Amino acid sequence: EVIHFHVDMLQFPLFQASFHKCLTTLHGRLDLPDYHPIYRAFPDMPLVSISDHQRTPMPAGANWLGTVYHGLPSTVCPFAKGGDYLAFLGRISPEKRPDRAIQIAMAAGVPLKIAAKVDKADQAYFDQTIRPLLDHPLVEFIGEINELEKSAFLGNALALLFPIDWPEPFGLVAIESMSAGTPVIAWRNGSVPELVDDGVTGHIVESIDEAVFAVQGIRNLSRALVRARFEQRFTASQMADNYLAAYGRLLALGDAAAYALSDRPEPAAEWPLLNFAGRRSARVHPAN
């Protein structure tokens, strides 16, 4: 009855005649122009976004069934009492801005622990920009950690620093931190205003000075309330319920939506075939 895809747009040409029972969750950034001709060519395909902000660059007329936020089992990062260091968790990359996290910690005079992997694509950035900053006594670079270590890392932190510099579709680490009761200090980018309740589960900032001020007052936030807000908004069961509701909306379209595509103009004479680097590699007819 329902086919749920998580592979962006690769299936669109094959399933265009069955769009009335297909659902696609888009997980990545949608502001890359090479993708837009494909979404315009298949406007009937029902879509789900992982944040409202993720949708903003998309062509008009996209068939959105709703937004479903990610959710986590409540046991993944259990509530903890916190500690005295700031945490940075994720990847070492220019868009994640670990350099900002280091600046904030140094200016606030609070220790920073960085648990992050360095991909080959970001090795030069790490060597040239981040490595020279790691000699400061307040900064500790831990490297990549596993799922079990992540729980303690976030739970024992004073706050999570999330100083992103790109339109993040959904910051999973932010809700992992909230699950542990650890508030989030995040830059106002992408989905951040949808995830962080400013003044409740953390603070949304737009400068280093604002972030330092937020660090100084972060103990005024209730960790118990941070955890409670996570349970209200971002559990796995809530995510499942929201997807069930989306399936219901899809099925409500009924057989009336399954009219023959032959009675309508073809979506496009040709559409761009993207390689895995996200660049246009060839142009082929959908039937090919």
Side-chain angles (χ1 to χ4, degrees):
E1 291 182 283
V2 173
I3 310 171
H4 190 171
F5 293 99
H6 295 270
V7 291
D8 295 324
M9 78 293 289
L10 297 178
Q11 74 282 1
F12 286 4
L14 297 175
F15 288 87
Q16 59 181 321
S18 302
F19 71 90
H20 60 288
K21 60 179 179 181
C22 293
L23 180 67
T24 299
T25 296
L26 299 176
H27 289 273
R29 62 189 302 174
L30 302 178
D31 59 335
L32 303 176
D34 275 354
Y35 292 107
H36 290 187
I38 302 173
Y39 294 116
R40 284 194 292 267
F42 300 96
D44 293 320
M45 297 303 289
L47 306 173
V48 166
S49 55
I50 56 174
S51 68
D52 290 339
H53 185 274
Q54 182 195 29
R55 302 183 187 188
T56 54
M58 283 284 278
N63 188 12
W64 295 108
L65 279 184
T67 290
V68 177
Y69 294 137
H70 289 325
L72 297 171
S74 58
T75 56
V76 168
C77 291
F79 179 77
K81 294 182 179 180
D84 58 359
Y85 63 86
L86 301 171
F88 179 94
L89 178 64
R91 286 186 294 112
I92 297 293
S93 63
E95 65 270 17
K96 300 292 187 178
R97 295 303 298 266
D99 58 314
R100 279 180 177 169
I102 294 171
Q103 286 180 271
I104 294 165
M106 291 168 58
V110 178
L112 170 68
K113 294 186 179 185
I114 301 174
K117 64 178 180 178
V118 182
D119 291 330
K120 289 183 178 180
D122 298 310
Q123 188 65 51
Y125 169 73
F126 175 72
D127 292 337
Q128 297 168 16
T129 303
I130 301 304
R131 193 187 296 276
L133 303 176
L134 300 180
D135 291 336
H136 195 279
L138 287 174
V139 180
E140 179 183 356
F141 180 71
I142 298 173
E144 189 173 4
I145 59 177
N146 61 35
E147 292 298 314
L148 294 177
E149 295 169 317
K150 180 194 298 184
S151 175
F153 178 77
L154 291 173
N156 293 329
L158 173 66
L160 172 76
L161 297 183
F162 193 59
I164 57 170
D165 197 16
W166 73 297
E168 178 90 57
F170 189 97
L172 190 61
V173 67
I175 68 169
E176 289 173 329
S177 182
M178 295 176 201
S179 176
T182 301
V184 181
I185 299 174
W187 237 253
R188 188 182 298 277
N189 272 321
S191 60
V192 163
E194 297 177 54
L195 308 184
V196 179
D197 295 323
D198 196 22
V200 180
T201 59
H203 294 292
I204 300 175
V205 302
E206 299 184 65
S207 69
I208 297 294
D209 288 343
E210 287 184 12
V212 171
F213 183 77
V215 170
Q216 293 169 345
I218 201 68
R219 293 187 188 276
N220 295 328
L221 299 184
S222 166
R223 293 180 66 92
L225 186 54
V226 173
R227 169 70 187 197
R229 194 60 60 91
F230 160 81
E231 292 175 346
Q232 292 167 5
R233 302 188 61 202
F234 298 118
T235 63
S237 60
Q238 288 168 318
M239 177 180 65
D241 287 343
N242 289 333
Y243 271 119
L244 287 173
Y247 297 160
R249 291 192 292 273
L250 179 66
L251 294 173
L253 296 174
D255 293 336
Y259 50 86
L261 290 179
S262 60
D263 293 337
R264 309 169 61 207
E266 290 192 10
E270 54 183 23
W271 61 287
L273 177 65
L274 303 184
N275 63 25
F276 287 105
R279 298 181 179 89
R280 188 180 287 112
S281 58
R283 298 186 70 85
V284 296
H285 190 277
N288 295 334

